Amino acid sequence: MKPFLLFLAIVLLQRIAELLVARRNESKVRKKGAIEYDSKGYLVIVAMHAAFFISLCLEYLLLKKSLNSFWTIFILLFVLAQALRYWSIYSLGEFWNTKILVIPGSPLIRKGPYKYIRHPNYAAVTIEIAVIPLVFSCYFTSALFSMLNLALLHRRIKIEERALSTASAANKDD
C-alpha cells in the first residue's frame, strides 16, 4: 500500500504543479490576445483525468491489487514519458497549456521534441495513462482509460490542428 500511495502522491503533486504553470501561462497568453478553443471539450478531459485517478484507486483497493512483477519496466516507461512531457513543456514555454489557447499570428513551435513529432506532450500522456495503472497491476483502469484518452485526444488534436492552422494563416497574412 505504501508504494501505491507514494507513487500516487508524486503523480498528483506533479499534476497540481502543472495546473499552476498552465494557469500562469494562460494569463500571459490571454494578455497577448490568445483565443481559447473547445472549452467544453476541456472539461470532458478534466473529468476523464479525475475519473482515471478514482478508477485507479478503486481498482487497487477494492480488487486488492499489488505491485506488478514488471514494475521496474513500467516505472522506466513512466520516467521516459515524464522526460518527454517536461521537454515538451519547456520547449513551448509560455505557450504550453492544458487548454487550447492560440495567439493569432503566432508561429508554430518547432524546437525540442516538436522538431520530431507533432504532439509530444500527448504522446507522453498516452504512455502515462497506460503505464501508471500497470505499475500496480490495475489492468482494467489501464485499458479503459487508454481507450478513452485516445478517443478524446483524437478529437482534441483535430480541433487543435484547426486552431493552429488558423493562427498560422493569420501569421502569413501579415
Side-chain angles (χ1 to χ4, degrees), residues 8-171:
L8 184 64
I10 290 168
V11 173
L12 289 173
L13 287 172
Q14 281 182 306
R15 296 304 174 267
I16 291 166
E18 289 163 12
L19 289 173
L20 294 173
V21 169
R23 182 170 287 164
R24 184 193 71 215
N25 289 347
E26 178 180 1
S27 176
K28 286 180 182 179
V29 297
R30 283 196 188 271
K31 287 177 184 171
K32 294 179 180 181
I35 299 167
E36 182 174 357
Y37 294 83
D38 196 36
S39 60
K40 290 180 182 165
Y42 175 73
L43 296 176
V44 173
I45 288 174
V46 169
M48 189 272 299
H49 280 268
F52 167 78
F53 286 107
I54 292 167
S55 176
L56 177 63
C57 291
L58 289 174
E59 183 174 0
Y60 180 80
L61 295 170
L62 296 178
L63 299 180
K64 300 183 186 334
K65 296 293 184 168
S66 61
L67 201 58
N68 192 306
S69 57
F70 298 105
W71 70 271
T72 54
I73 294 168
F74 296 127
I75 290 289
L76 176 62
L77 289 170
F78 174 77
V79 169
L80 292 172
Q82 295 306 289
L84 180 58
R85 173 203 283 290
Y86 289 113
W87 188 22
S88 301
I89 291 170
Y90 177 78
S91 297
L92 287 178
E94 71 181 9
F95 296 105
W96 178 80
N97 211 292
T98 55
K99 297 177 180 178
I100 302 173
L101 294 164
V102 179
I103 300 171
S106 291
L108 290 176
I109 303 294
R110 297 205 188 272
K111 63 182 182 179
Y114 295 90
K115 277 195 285 190
Y116 309 106
I117 59 175
R118 186 79 170 153
H119 297 282
N121 191 61
Y122 296 152
V125 170
T126 299
I127 293 165
E128 290 170 352
I129 286 178
V131 303
I132 289 171
L134 294 178
V135 172
F136 299 98
S137 304
C138 295
Y139 304 109
F140 174 79
T141 299
S142 178
L144 175 64
F145 284 90
S146 288
M147 289 185 291
L148 286 172
N149 181 58
L150 288 174
L152 291 175
L153 283 181
H154 177 73
R155 178 185 178 280
R156 182 179 173 101
I157 287 171
K158 279 188 193 174
I159 293 166
E160 191 170 311
E161 287 294 328
R162 266 187 259 134
L164 291 171
S165 67
T166 301
S168 239
N171 195 25

